[in-house]
Amino acid sequence: MIVELYGCSFEQINDLVRVERSLIEAVELSKATIVKPVFHRFSPHGVSGVVVIAESHFAIHTWPEYGYCALDIFTCGDQIDSDAALHFLKSRFEAENISIMEVQRGVLDVPPHQLRHKP
Amino acid sequence: MIVELYGCSFEQINDLVRVERSLIEAVELSKATIVKPVFHRFSPHGVSGVVVIAESHFAIHTWPEYGYCALDIFTCGDQIDSDAALHFLKSRFEAENISIMEVQRGVLDVPPHQLRHKP
């Protein structure tokens, strides 16, 4: 799920701790299993963060100066509630506009439930 | 850049150290600036890895049992040679087939060179 969040609050997306807490809360809401989070603040603006989950990853990159966040939610299996994560972040970041694209990855001749990582 | 690598070598994509070295070498070939790498091996199979770069991130998830890797290359600015990274990984993983999709992110009314993170 490739998501663009426009018109976000500068404060919400420029602060490393806020972005980290928000993304981790979003991951938890989606019911994914956190493996390792990594966050980095850029100077003068912007935060990049990735949470590796048992089911793949969440990634975020923020450009506070443009009120813009790029969010990727890469999951496998059918147990992850990406929509819950997405709606939470839209609200938390006070995004005015959102665009969402879903891409099906690794089209293999294998039943989807067999493609899930087992941590 | 959303990349699927099919028909990969089980050994090349199942070993955490090999996948980590390969992805980091690919990032270096692309001339991106590494900020933080994070890798995780799943049981019984598979590796997930993300390298946060100053220009966003590289992410990989491998399903050795299916010979499949999902690779995301998220960059900003026009200085990153994603193709070099991609060709290197295709060769290193001995992929038989590759599919590539490019998605333009954050379509803002801003000149592209202003969208680059400055580490």
Side-chain angles (χ1 to χ4, degrees):
Chain A
M1 192 178 276
I2 292 173
V3 183
E4 323 287 0
L5 295 159
Y6 297 103
C8 299
S9 151
F10 183 94
E11 287 70 27
Q12 290 297 339
I13 66 172
N14 192 42
D15 183 83
L16 186 139
V17 174
R18 284 188 199 190
V19 172
E20 180 164 0
R21 281 189 190 149
S22 299
L23 193 63
I24 285 177
E25 195 166 340
V27 173
E28 289 170 348
L29 281 171
S30 78
K31 301 191 175 58
T33 304
I34 293 175
V35 175
K36 283 183 194 167
V38 49
F39 285 84
H40 182 77
R41 188 180 195 287
F42 292 90
S43 176
H45 300 307
V47 175
S48 281
V50 181
V51 181
V52 176
I53 55 175
E55 303 84 1
S56 293
H57 74 266
F58 279 57
I60 196 163
H61 302 285
T62 77
W63 281 262
E65 65 274 39
Y66 303 115
Y68 166 68
C69 290
L71 173 70
D72 295 358
I73 303 180
F74 188 140
T75 61
C76 43
D78 51 9
Q79 304 299 307
I80 306 302
D81 188 352
S82 305
D83 288 341
L86 196 52
H87 291 133
F88 169 76
L89 288 174
K90 180 178 187 299
S91 166
R92 172 63 61 90
F93 293 160
E94 304 168 24
E96 289 169 5
N97 300 101
I98 188 166
S99 102
I100 303 169
M101 188 194 310
E102 287 196 47
V103 180
Q104 195 179 356
R105 304 297 297 268
V107 184
L108 301 162
D109 191 17
V110 173
H113 68 275
Q114 289 184 15
L115 280 173
R116 200 177 318 152
H117 277 310
K118 301 202 186 305
Chain B
M1 193 180 275
I2 292 172
V3 183
E4 323 288 358
L5 295 158
Y6 297 103
C8 299
S9 150
F10 183 93
E11 288 71 26
Q12 290 297 338
I13 66 171
N14 192 41
D15 184 83
L16 186 138
V17 174
R18 284 189 199 187
V19 172
E20 180 164 359
R21 281 190 190 149
S22 299
L23 193 63
I24 286 176
E25 194 167 340
V27 174
E28 289 170 346
L29 281 171
S30 78
K31 302 191 174 58
T33 304
I34 294 175
V35 174
K36 283 183 194 167
V38 50
F39 285 84
H40 183 77
R41 189 181 194 286
F42 291 91
S43 177
H45 299 307
V47 175
S48 281
V50 181
V51 180
V52 176
I53 56 175
E55 304 82 2
S56 295
H57 74 265
F58 279 57
I60 196 162
H61 302 286
T62 77
W63 281 263
E65 65 274 41
Y66 303 116
Y68 167 68
C69 290
L71 174 70
D72 295 357
I73 302 180
F74 188 141
T75 61
C76 41
D78 50 9
Q79 304 298 307
I80 306 302
D81 189 352
S82 304
D83 288 341
L86 196 51
H87 292 132
F88 169 77
L89 288 174
K90 180 179 187 297
S91 166
R92 172 62 61 91
F93 293 161
E94 303 167 24
E96 289 168 5
N97 299 102
I98 187 166
S99 102
I100 302 169
M101 187 195 310
E102 287 196 48
V103 180
Q104 194 178 356
R105 305 296 298 269
V107 184
L108 302 163
D109 190 17
V110 174
H113 68 274
Q114 291 185 15
L115 279 174
R116 199 177 317 153
H117 276 312
K118 301 200 185 306

